[in-house]
Amino acid sequence: MESNSEERFHDHEDVIDDFYDIWLKNHPSALSSFEEIKSMAHEKQMVVFLDYDGTLSPIVNNPDQAFMSTEMRSAVREIGEHFTTAIISGRSRDKVFQFVRLNNIYYAGSHGMDISAPSFSPNYGNHEHQTSYISQLFVGNDMVNFCPVRDFLPRIQTIKDKLDKIAKDIKGASVEDNKFCLSVHFRCVNEENVGKLKEMVESTMEFYSDFRISEGKKVMEISPIINWYKGRALQYLLDTLGFEDSSNVLPIYIGDDKTDEDAFKMIKSIGKGFPVAVSTTPKETEALYSLRDPTEVMSFLILLAKWKMGCTFE
Ligand SMILES: O=P(O)(O)OC[C@H]1O[C@H](O[C@H]2O[C@H](CO)[C@@H](O)[C@H](O)[C@H]2O)[C@H](O)[C@@H](O)[C@@H]1O
């Protein structure tokens, strides 16, 4: 007997669940592995790194509306009180701060190409890319801004003007200025126009050979080609936060997108720590652990903070 469409739909969902369960065997849930994580982290210093979009906030159609919930903000605030914490985002540093609005954590924007850190690092060359400033966030605090791509700024603006013209002609397309990189969004573009948009962006970028295009979630990310990415930002932050030589440090990085894979790889190359991929579907990842979505991320952060509070009182 032929099954009806509702039954077929459920069969399809069951198959997806089966694939997810298989994937979970290789990337176990950080929630169900919490006891294991706790025992590995016992008497170690955990440093928490978080991505923003898709990790702390749900993916939505309008990038300007990717707000994090009040509950998530409280969870991140708690985490920042108990662990050294940084957010490494593809957004501009200012924009990610506007979304998060917490001043007990550090911020890196433009996929790690714009970092606000507490001190200079002698391990990252001279002061060419590191400039001190008085922070508006950490009031009265001297901070250091690390930015290896400042020289690209005028050309990024020229490229943005060109891409804006392209986006204006394709319904649903938009260009987001992330200061040291640009995002061309196509989440709201009709399927039949996506190819055309991509072609137009690619042919514009052919004139800028020192820029790369990488693809994220329904977005083309345009950024300067330098050997700097989220993984190196994580390493830079560990260094300037005083953990470079610490054998006791355990970085944890939670992220959902392709650019987060570089941070997962970095943690693996350090040889200790917890790379956690956020995904509702099975995917290729360097992460060792997983969480399904921002709701699970929040539950995990709450568990982590509670555990730490318990630890302090032990
Ligand atoms: O490193 P992240 O903090 O994850 O930033 C990566 C990009 O995230 C944003 O785009 C994504 O989220 C949007 C809002 O939910 C969604 O509309 C878009 O389709 C996603 O790709 C952000 O807008 C980009 O600028 C970031 O580069």
Side-chain angles (χ1 to χ4, degrees), residues 51-54 57-63 66 88-91 111 176 178 183 185 187 216-219 221 230 256-257 259-260:
D51 165 52
Y52 183 73
D53 288 280
S57 68
I59 294 293
V60 292
N61 283 345
N62 181 348
I88 307 182
S89 171
R91 304 270 191 164
H111 295 295
E176 186 178 1
N178 290 329
S183 296
H185 290 282
R187 183 168 297 279
K217 291 186 165 171
K218 308 268 183 200
V219 69
E221 308 271 20
K230 284 188 172 188
D256 73 313
D257 214 343
T259 55
D260 300 311

